[in-house]
Amino acid sequence: MDWLVAEFKKDTGIDVSKDKMVLQRLKEAAGQSDRLYLGDRIGNYRIEIVMSDGAIASEYRGIHMVLPRRALIKVMHAATEPHAAVHVLREACMLDALHHPGIVRVYESGIHERRPWFATELVEGPTIRNQLTPKALDRADAIGLLRDIAEILDHAFRRGVIHCACVPERS
């Protein structure tokens, strides 16, 4: 990939080494993209849409090829450091071990093109931020929601798991 960036800079005079969007397009043009697309298959799932792109992995919504269910599928990026593979696999194992009705279940995990991935229960609906807007919930319901979240985090904490990405943008 470095040679492609160098050639682009030589031809255009523009350094794109820090521009993620341009790098992704260059990877795609060179056939080196690790992104999954509509209809791609991973395990027993077919990809429907990209949900998010993170530093270590991308998240997709997929549909199971046999069972009538959708899942959130997290796939590690190909260019990620090897220790990140341990992080992705550890996340799947921790989720699977937590067993709580407020925590998503792990359906399946594996390796796809030398990249770890796992599929979890897909939670759709309003985000926590949307639910906590002034007019969305009355005071008692908002307190109940926050109590439920605290109970889930406590459940994980008592099992040695600290959630480092608890953000209101999630559903």
Side-chain angles (χ1 to χ4, degrees):
M1 187 65 205
D2 292 336
W3 67 270
L4 195 55
V5 171
E7 286 296 312
F8 189 84
K9 184 175 182 179
K10 187 173 92 177
D11 291 348
T12 65
I14 301 169
D15 181 11
V16 295
S17 61
K18 304 274 190 273
D19 189 324
K20 286 184 178 183
M21 178 73 84
V22 172
L23 288 174
Q24 181 65 30
R25 300 267 191 236
L26 287 174
K27 283 181 180 180
E28 289 169 2
Q32 297 178 2
S33 175
D34 67 353
R35 177 172 241 163
L36 298 174
Y37 294 96
L38 175 69
D40 284 353
R41 219 176 129 179
I42 185 164
N44 290 316
Y45 293 89
R46 190 175 61 248
I47 299 300
E48 290 185 321
I49 63 168
V50 177
M51 301 285 284
S52 68
D53 267 325
I56 294 175
S58 293
E59 293 179 338
Y60 304 89
R61 186 182 73 204
I63 187 163
H64 197 275
M65 307 280 284
V66 177
L67 301 173
R69 70 173 175 216
R70 287 189 162 74
L72 178 73
I73 303 165
K74 188 169 190 170
V75 184
M76 189 180 95
H77 295 304
T80 308
E81 295 293 323
H83 72 277
V86 174
H87 173 81
V88 171
L89 293 171
R90 185 178 298 140
E91 181 179 352
C93 290
M94 284 188 298
L95 275 173
D96 191 56
L98 287 174
H99 300 290
H100 186 280
I103 297 174
V104 295
R105 293 179 300 148
V106 175
Y107 291 142
E108 187 178 346
S109 67
I111 304 292
H112 176 76
E113 297 175 359
R114 300 181 61 180
R115 298 178 290 152
W117 67 274
F118 63 93
T120 67
E121 184 176 7
L122 179 65
V123 178
E124 296 183 289
T127 64
I128 295 166
R129 181 179 302 285
N130 289 343
Q131 290 186 44
L132 292 178
T133 58
K135 294 180 183 173
L137 294 176
D138 63 27
R139 184 181 179 127
D141 289 339
I143 291 169
L145 175 63
L146 293 173
R147 184 192 60 241
D148 292 346
I149 293 167
E151 193 274 321
I152 293 165
L153 292 172
D154 181 62
H155 176 82
F157 181 75
R158 289 176 187 273
R159 285 150 185 82
V161 177
I162 298 173
H163 197 306
C164 297
C166 188
V167 293
E169 284 71 30
R170 301 261 176 173
S171 31

